[in-house]
Amino acid sequence: MSTIRSLEDLKAKRQEILDRKAVAKGKTIINVSLATCSIAAGGKVAMEAMQDEVAKNGLTGVEFMQSGCMTYCYAEPTVEITLPGKTPVVFGGVDENRARELVTEYVMKGEPVEGIIPVNYERVVL
Amino acid sequence: MAATTTEKKQLRIATRNCGFIDPENIDDYIALRGYEGLAKVLTMTPAEVVDLVKRSGLRGRGGAGFPTGIKWGIALGNKADQKYMVCNADEGDPGAFMDRAVLEGDPHSVVEAMAIGGYAIGATRGTVYIRAEYPLAIKRLKKAIDDARDYGLLGENIFGSGFDFDIELKYGAGAFVCGEETALIRSMEGKRGEPVTKPPFPAQSGYWEKPTIVNNVETFANIPAIIINGADWFSGIGTATSKGTKVFALAGKIQNVGLIEVPMGITLREVIFDIGGGCPDGKAFKAVQTGGPSGGALANKDLDVAIDYESLAACKSIMGSGGMVVMDEDDCMVSVAKFFLDFTMDETCGKCTPCRIGSKRLYEILDRITKGKGTRADLDHLKSLSEIIKDTALCGLGQTMPNPILSTMDTFADEYAAHIDNKKCPAHVCTALLTYTIDPAKCTGCGLCTRVCPVECISGTKKQPHTIDATRCIKCGACYDKCKFDSIIKQ
Ligand SMILES: Cc1cc2nc3c(=O)[nH]c(=O)nc-3n(C[C@H](O)[C@H](O)[C@H](O)COP(=O)(O)O)c2cc1C
Ligand code: SF4
Ligand code: SF4
Ligand code: SF4
Ligand code: FES
């Protein structure tokens, strides 16, 4: 890895990362909460089911990522899906069936699927 | 899932990145201006950094709420050949998981903040003391440290500034007392995790007798945001004495269990009802224990109190580290006090007599009361013993251990009285004080209860009301759970 030696280096690095992320803008991003409790509630199962469904349907342009606590312990497993150009939406209680449905209905057709958790916080973005 | 109000009550600073970045990908963190705070402080003098943190008004989130900048200033002022920056990730409070969530969701913010603190006080070495029961947090933290080191953001000559700083992990076995900073330091030195008297404070003489700053995970998580957005921004949020936000872990009888982060000054009512959705199954809210075993129970009368360090203390509770255990009408407050005592009794290190033996005696009295064998004199004993322990215990564990008792005795005096004078548990929790009877008007004589009663003390003929022989009933509740006609009365 390249060493970051100065603030300028850091800013250049950041720009490079942002450019890379901009390319991903045209993609669907499926972000699965994988903190200890989300995993215990079945987060990995949901992730695998969605990966399987994406593969089965031969979808390209879908990227998976893991994150930590989405703070909705009562609704775990939770999955955040960002369709290209759309606001991210968080779904709760994503068991295996719901996970597959999210891919076939929401990701593939943009159809609304039950279990959307409304955003209830403001967040400081640095 | 309860609906949330349209007005957003939560403000996320410490948990700003949790759920939004891949905690195992340093680039995700850098994309959100990660490590810019560190780069910025390296252009300032340590005294300027300390001053900035002081002006922000940030207070320690681990429980005591000591101003972070003042603590850093003490360590900066103490000259030494080596100083240490320690992150307290021991998190032992029952019901609390804020620190785990931050470490699992955004480990780099803690890594960056430790380096910032290290620069501010003049430390080149940092240690995260983390409980071994947090394997995922450990894994992600380790990766964060390795990746930061690979990028040159930890190690020698960071940002070409000449500042060296590196972080190692030390594992705790998960003893509650090891979260107390002097015990934590002794545990880091490979000794028994027993507290020692203060002063000297760790900022004067800590790890290997060198100036050492111990800060909580959440305290650290606020630091990069404060550095980038400035002291005025942070001190503009919150109340006069308590700035910024606080992360709470809502647990117990609450609809929306989980982590929340709210600005200081929000009321308990907003937290429990607007954000938490109130108690499930339409049950009535009864109390909320803040501060875990060191805290107290807040009741209906306290719901409109604005949450900050001072007002919670005025209600005989504490902010604590952020565990909030909610209780509803089905909870017995004497049993709740007993539950927390049971915890501290197990966790006392045994070094001092009031704590070691006092916890046992307190527990015995509470146990007696829940079994219907308590007397009025027991109440006096509970009170005087509690006060003596508070005054004479060496560390915070013993000094705060009686708090759940004192606070429930104060707010729920009638419940204690019911257990003692009427031998009744109003919440129907204390088994020994319950009686099971059958309402003849409702009983259909289906006979289901006779089949489940383990001691065969229910009798009756088919299609006729049944009866329970109270002298033989062991109060197991099996009949109550089974009866489809609500004919069994539990009192
Ligand atoms: C019995 C006991 C347990 C404690 N456990 C923790 C803990 O798990 N995590 C923590 O950060 N502080 C804990 N503390 C508080 C620490 O002693 C110390 O005040 C804190 O880590 C300082 O950091 P802060 O100023 O950032 O809050 C505990 C204190 C006591 C008395
Ligand atoms: S008060 Fe309790 S936990 Fe603290 S040192 Fe004394 S015996 Fe140990
Ligand atoms: S189960 Fe209920 S209704 Fe049936 S006999 Fe027992 S008390 Fe009566
Ligand atoms: S409470 Fe248990 S022991 Fe008592 S009558 Fe019911 S089933 Fe029998
Ligand atoms: S720790 Fe449970 S989702 Fe947050």
Side-chain angles (χ1 to χ4, degrees):
Chain A
M1 265 191 239
S2 60
T3 311
I4 297 168
R5 293 232 149 277
S6 63
L7 179 58
E8 286 64 45
D9 277 6
L10 181 69
K11 288 196 166 145
K13 181 88 206 168
R14 179 159 177 254
Q15 197 51 54
E16 175 198 319
I17 297 164
L18 292 176
D19 292 346
R20 204 183 333 130
K21 285 192 182 285
V23 177
K25 272 256 162 20
K27 295 189 171 177
T28 293
I29 301 186
I30 302 185
N31 171 12
V32 184
S33 173
L34 291 180
T36 296
C37 62
S38 347
I39 295 171
K44 277 191 178 154
V45 176
M47 174 103 130
E48 279 158 21
M50 288 186 291
Q51 281 167 337
D52 180 54
E53 206 59 43
V54 164
K56 255 199 337 223
N57 289 287
L59 301 186
T60 51
V62 176
E63 230 172 66
F64 283 89
M65 75 171 264
Q66 62 161 358
S67 68
C69 174
M70 286 182 189
T71 74
Y72 307 110
C73 300
Y74 59 93
E76 290 293 350
T78 50
V79 173
E80 181 198 61
I81 302 183
T82 314
L83 298 180
K86 294 252 169 73
T87 348
V89 177
V90 178
F91 297 89
V94 184
D95 57 8
E96 180 164 356
N97 288 338
R98 166 95 43 102
R100 292 186 185 277
E101 190 192 8
L102 282 178
V103 174
T104 53
E105 300 303 308
Y106 188 68
V107 173
M108 292 172 66
K109 302 183 204 147
E111 296 281 345
V113 173
E114 252 185 72
I116 295 179
I117 304 178
V119 180
N120 58 353
Y121 51 77
E122 275 172 59
R123 168 181 165 236
V124 171
V125 181
L126 298 179
Chain B
M1 261 171 273
T4 3
T5 49
T6 43
E7 191 196 347
K8 296 183 171 60
K9 306 243 174 200
Q10 297 195 57
L11 176 61
R12 294 174 58 175
I13 300 174
T15 60
R16 62 195 175 277
N17 296 332
C18 288
F20 293 94
I21 64 172
D22 179 347
E24 296 183 25
N25 186 346
I26 187 171
D27 285 357
D28 269 20
Y29 183 67
I30 290 177
L32 291 169
R33 298 181 73 187
Y35 291 99
E36 259 185 59
L38 177 59
K40 181 174 167 191
V41 298
L42 293 179
T43 65
M44 301 161 67
T45 66
E48 283 167 350
V49 182
V50 167
D51 183 57
L52 193 159
V53 177
K54 267 186 202 166
R55 283 188 293 110
S56 76
L58 175 67
R59 295 170 66 173
R61 302 296 194 236
F66 192 82
T68 308
I70 293 182
K71 194 149 100 176
W72 287 12
I74 297 168
L76 173 63
N78 286 319
K79 300 280 162 265
D81 54 349
Q82 180 68 55
K83 298 179 189 177
Y84 297 97
M85 198 76 207
V86 176
C87 173
N88 188 344
D90 198 52
E91 197 161 57
D93 269 27
F97 50 88
M98 306 78 50
D99 295 348
R100 172 174 64 77
V102 168
L103 290 171
E104 287 178 358
D106 187 21
H108 282 285
S109 69
V110 175
V111 170
E112 182 186 358
M114 287 180 72
I116 291 170
Y119 177 74
I121 68 163
T124 56
R125 290 173 63 183
T127 304
V128 182
Y129 185 90
I130 183 165
R131 53 175 50 220
E133 290 107 313
Y134 279 0
L136 188 60
I138 290 171
K139 174 181 164 227
R140 290 183 177 164
L141 195 51
K142 265 189 180 160
K143 181 153 197 321
I145 292 169
D146 286 346
D147 290 350
R149 208 179 277 139
D150 280 346
Y151 270 177
L153 300 168
L154 283 181
E156 283 173 15
N157 194 20
I158 298 170
F159 286 114
S161 68
F163 173 58
D164 304 336
F165 190 79
D166 214 332
I167 299 175
E168 59 171 0
L169 297 190
K170 283 199 191 285
Y171 306 111
F176 179 56
V177 74
C178 286
E180 194 281 334
E181 54 184 1
T182 63
L184 182 145
I185 288 168
R186 289 180 63 85
S187 169
M188 278 172 51
E189 291 169 345
K191 300 177 187 139
R192 280 181 69 112
E194 284 181 352
V196 292
T197 41
K198 298 189 269 194
F201 291 92
Q204 302 162 304
S205 171
Y207 188 44
W208 301 126
E209 290 167 21
K210 304 290 184 189
T212 302
I213 288 297
V214 180
N215 276 136
N216 168 260
V217 170
E218 186 188 332
T219 312
F220 279 123
N222 279 295
I223 294 284
I226 291 173
I227 301 294
I228 290 188
N229 280 357
D232 293 340
W233 163 75
F234 193 78
S235 65
I237 302 161
T239 69
T241 60
S242 310
K243 303 302 184 186
T245 56
K246 180 77 195 84
V247 182
F248 291 105
L250 290 181
K253 307 281 183 59
I254 185 117
Q255 193 88 20
N256 301 337
V257 169
L259 276 198
I260 60 162
E261 182 170 354
V262 288
M264 300 277 191
I266 191 171
T267 65
L268 269 173
R269 187 185 300 281
E270 290 172 287
V271 166
I272 290 172
F273 292 94
D274 298 343
I275 300 174
C279 300
D281 308 321
K283 299 277 182 180
F285 164 82
K286 185 170 195 177
V288 53
Q289 175 85 12
T290 67
S294 310
L298 297 156
N300 267 307
K301 65 174 170 46
D302 309 309
L303 280 176
D304 293 309
V305 165
I307 299 177
D308 71 11
Y309 291 93
E310 279 65 31
S311 15
L312 288 184
C315 304
K316 297 202 179 147
S317 189
I318 54 166
M319 177 83 74
S321 60
M324 271 200 187
V325 185
V326 179
M327 268 106 29
D328 71 8
E329 54 187 301
D330 292 338
D331 287 298
C332 161
M333 299 312 289
V334 185
S335 302
V336 166
K338 191 169 110 174
F339 167 81
F340 284 111
L341 239 284
D342 192 26
F343 177 81
T344 27
M345 188 171 69
D346 278 350
E347 296 288 340
T348 168
C349 80
K351 187 169 171 171
C352 36
T353 325
C355 176
R356 183 182 68 244
I357 302 184
S359 58
K360 190 123 189 74
R361 291 291 100 87
L362 287 174
Y363 183 84
E364 285 166 0
I365 301 176
L366 289 172
D367 192 49
R368 233 178 7 246
I369 297 176
T370 57
K371 294 209 163 112
K373 298 191 178 123
T375 62
R376 280 271 148 184
D378 279 334
L379 286 184
D380 299 333
H381 283 145
L382 270 182
K383 204 158 209 148
S384 55
L385 189 52
S386 291
E387 270 146 19
I388 293 169
I389 297 170
K390 275 174 86 84
D391 288 346
T392 51
L394 187 154
C395 86
L397 189 148
Q399 288 158 1
T400 61
M401 165 221 298
N403 287 353
I405 303 182
L406 289 171
S407 112
T408 52
M409 278 180 77
D410 195 44
T411 311
F412 297 95
D414 52 335
E415 260 188 80
Y416 279 84
H419 283 76
I420 290 171
D421 303 337
N422 313 332
K423 310 293 177 209
K424 278 289 159 205
C425 173
H428 308 315
V429 171
C430 299
T431 313
L433 303 182
L434 297 178
T435 48
Y436 287 89
T437 47
I438 294 177
D439 179 352
K442 281 190 179 170
C443 177
T444 64
C446 71
L448 206 56
C449 54
T450 42
R451 261 169 273 150
V452 296
C453 178
V455 293
E456 299 178 343
C457 69
I458 309 179
S459 53
T461 35
K462 241 185 167 15
K463 299 196 176 152
Q464 296 297 316
H466 284 38
T467 49
I468 294 176
D469 177 356
T471 57
R472 284 158 57 210
C473 170
I474 57 164
K475 302 167 186 193
C476 69
C479 56
Y480 180 83
D481 294 338
K482 213 71 195 184
C483 179
K484 292 194 182 81
F485 305 94
D486 287 332
S487 323
I488 311 239
I489 306 162
K490 177 162 89 167
Q491 272 172 330

